[in-house]
Amino acid sequence: MALTINHAPAIAGVQTFRYGLTRGASSAIHPLIAEQEVKVIRGESCARAARALREQGFVPDIICAHPGWGEALFLKDVFPEAAILLFHEFFYHARGFDVGFDPEFPAQGLESDQRLRMKNAHLLLSFNAADALVTPTYFQRDTLPIWAHPITEVIHDGIDTQNLQPDPTVSLTIDGKQLRYGDPIVTFVNRNLEPYRGYHQFMRALPLLQQQCPEAQIVIVGGEDVSYGSRPPAGKTWKQIFLEEVESKLDLSRIHFVGTLAYPQFITLLRLSAAHVYLTYPFVLSWSLIESMSLQCPIIASDTAPVREAIRHGENGLLVDFFQPRQLADAIALLLNQPEYGRQLGAQARKTAVANYDLKTVCLPQHLALIDRLIDMKKVR
């Protein structure tokens, strides 16, 4: 049985119930409490829907929830006999992780510290009522307070490596040009083009790259909104700001901004990539990195903590300093000029993806075993 606040597609064998908010947010409230009130309203709304299910006779063995928006706050009060497993995505810190990592976008002092501390408040309350947490990477686990580590399991969401296999027969037409496997194609993917995922550093590497590899076709995937971090100045997008910084030095006819792609096109593009670039702050690891590994892409990635969990330099990819565009350009050029080396790295990347991140053989069995274990523990208690 599933509870959702959004319209959700039907899942075979799962009854889905949608609920609405019980009330709106207050118009006058302390700024540091405003976000918490929104979480409490969502938690209250979810708990009310859960109570209605209980009144109809439904009591779950286990509740699996994402606590990030507040829904998990009061579920233990409705179902005290149920095991509660929470998905841990990220615990905020003023230092040592994403905030303050990039000196170009420094932290904003005490006000920023206070805001980040309060962003964790509802998470702490939810964790206190949980029997266990599950998180995709050790990096994400390490964002948690040390006392939460013993109840936290590291299990990735999982990637369908059987469907995400290399295919050298595919092609894709972009801006009227047909791209084929074996072409010097460089790919860069963000949900939105922004500093958190290294868009600014990638753009600064392109003039250097085009000097070394003038025939390279560079395909940039991503929207122009903001997923993470601060917003750009009014009337601008991060895409515009960093393109304008370097465009006078670029051959724009070989740079293709394609916006967001339908998933089949996205996968086809990665299958064609001769050098796939993935950059990130110390933040949540993107699914796209693991997908690109499964597709056997030659990968150049930032030498940041979450990435080092998946990519080993010189073995299944190349790692570069996030803040060194020349180092990034040199690494991309190396793979374009030595395609056989790139294919060797890509083959090892796929082996890593299959061994560590496959949904059906690795991650899903681990998730199901954790659920069974928690239910058994609850019954013993």
Side-chain angles (χ1 to χ4, degrees):
M1 191 170 287
L3 282 175
T4 173
I5 201 168
N6 298 314
H7 290 287
I11 303 173
V14 179
Q15 289 180 272
T16 301
F17 295 87
R18 184 170 180 263
Y19 59 92
L21 297 178
T22 55
R23 69 190 77 198
S26 305
S27 58
I29 194 169
H30 192 293
L32 290 174
I33 299 297
E35 185 174 348
Q36 296 309 311
E37 186 196 26
V38 173
K39 312 299 189 192
V40 169
I41 291 170
R42 290 180 74 123
E44 176 187 56
S45 305
C46 185
R48 183 170 295 185
R51 185 177 63 189
L53 290 176
R54 179 163 198 131
E55 289 170 351
Q56 296 169 27
F58 175 74
V59 178
D61 295 308
I62 188 167
I63 299 169
C64 302
H66 191 313
W69 292 270
E71 278 84 353
L73 276 169
F74 308 118
L75 291 175
K76 176 65 79 174
D77 303 312
V78 180
F79 297 116
E81 59 273 83
I84 294 187
L85 173 61
L86 299 183
F87 179 89
H88 166 61
E89 188 165 2
F90 198 72
F91 195 82
Y92 296 93
H93 292 259
R95 292 159 191 83
F97 288 88
D98 56 324
V99 176
F101 169 74
D102 191 338
E104 197 167 338
F105 303 95
Q108 299 302 310
L110 181 59
E111 183 178 330
S112 173
D113 293 355
Q114 292 170 336
R115 182 180 59 83
L116 288 169
R117 186 172 296 280
M118 289 305 298
K119 283 177 74 70
N120 289 327
H122 72 287
L123 294 175
L124 291 169
L125 287 170
S126 299
F127 295 164
N128 189 56
D131 294 279
L133 313 180
V134 63
T135 194
T137 65
Y138 287 95
F139 169 80
Q140 286 163 275
R141 185 203 64 180
D142 290 347
T143 67
L144 286 165
I146 194 70
W147 54 258
H149 290 200
I151 65 166
T152 305
E153 295 279 338
V154 178
I155 306 173
H156 196 269
D157 306 69
I159 297 297
D160 188 351
T161 64
Q162 292 307 301
N163 284 328
L164 297 177
Q165 296 200 42
D167 182 357
T169 67
V170 298
S171 64
L172 188 65
T173 300
I174 292 178
D175 293 339
K177 180 175 181 59
Q178 189 173 39
L179 304 180
R180 298 181 178 85
Y181 183 81
D183 292 344
I185 299 167
V186 180
T187 54
F188 180 80
V189 175
N190 284 185
R191 183 190 307 175
N192 283 297
L193 302 174
E194 57 193 339
Y196 253 64
R197 298 306 194 190
Y199 168 69
H200 54 322
Q201 304 296 358
F202 179 71
M203 292 304 296
R204 290 164 182 165
L206 292 187
L208 303 168
L209 174 63
Q210 287 192 324
Q211 291 173 17
Q212 298 182 66
C213 303
E215 300 303 311
Q217 297 288 340
I218 299 154
V219 184
I220 301 172
V221 179
E224 297 187 43
D225 203 346
V226 175
S227 298
Y228 310 111
S230 60
R231 303 196 73 84
K236 289 280 192 176
T237 67
W238 290 126
K239 174 193 170 183
Q240 292 172 318
I241 289 170
F242 295 110
L243 174 59
E244 289 170 1
E245 180 183 313
V246 296
E247 65 180 335
S248 64
K249 306 173 187 176
L250 296 175
D251 176 1
L252 292 174
S253 70
R254 296 184 178 275
I255 299 175
H256 312 280
F257 287 92
V258 296
T260 56
L261 294 177
Y263 191 69
Q265 286 182 298
F266 166 68
I267 296 305
T268 296
L269 176 64
L270 289 183
R271 284 179 168 134
L272 296 172
S273 182
H276 178 65
V277 177
Y278 177 75
L279 308 175
T280 184
Y281 284 11
F283 195 58
V284 177
L285 196 69
S286 303
W287 285 329
S288 66
L289 175 65
I290 310 301
E291 289 172 320
S292 66
M293 294 171 69
S294 182
L295 292 165
Q296 211 159 296
C297 291
I299 295 167
I300 307 102
S302 57
D303 190 5
T304 44
V307 179
R308 288 194 291 269
E309 225 168 290
I311 300 294
R312 296 179 294 276
H313 180 68
E315 181 179 334
N316 61 357
L318 300 178
L319 295 176
V320 297
D321 189 320
F322 182 93
F323 301 107
Q324 296 295 326
R326 179 169 292 280
Q327 192 179 124
L328 174 58
D330 289 346
I332 299 170
L334 172 64
L335 295 188
L336 295 184
N337 291 326
Q338 298 185 29
E340 182 55 38
Y341 179 50
R343 283 190 284 271
Q344 291 172 11
L345 293 176
Q348 290 302 314
R350 175 164 173 80
K351 287 181 180 179
T352 301
V354 172
N356 297 342
Y357 302 105
D358 181 70
L359 173 64
K360 295 177 182 177
T361 63
V362 179
C363 300
L364 184 56
Q366 290 178 352
H367 275 284
L368 294 175
L370 172 60
I371 287 170
D372 288 341
R373 191 162 68 248
L374 289 173
I375 292 173
D376 290 342
M377 288 172 56
K378 202 68 177 178
K379 288 177 180 177
V380 169
R381 293 176 192 169

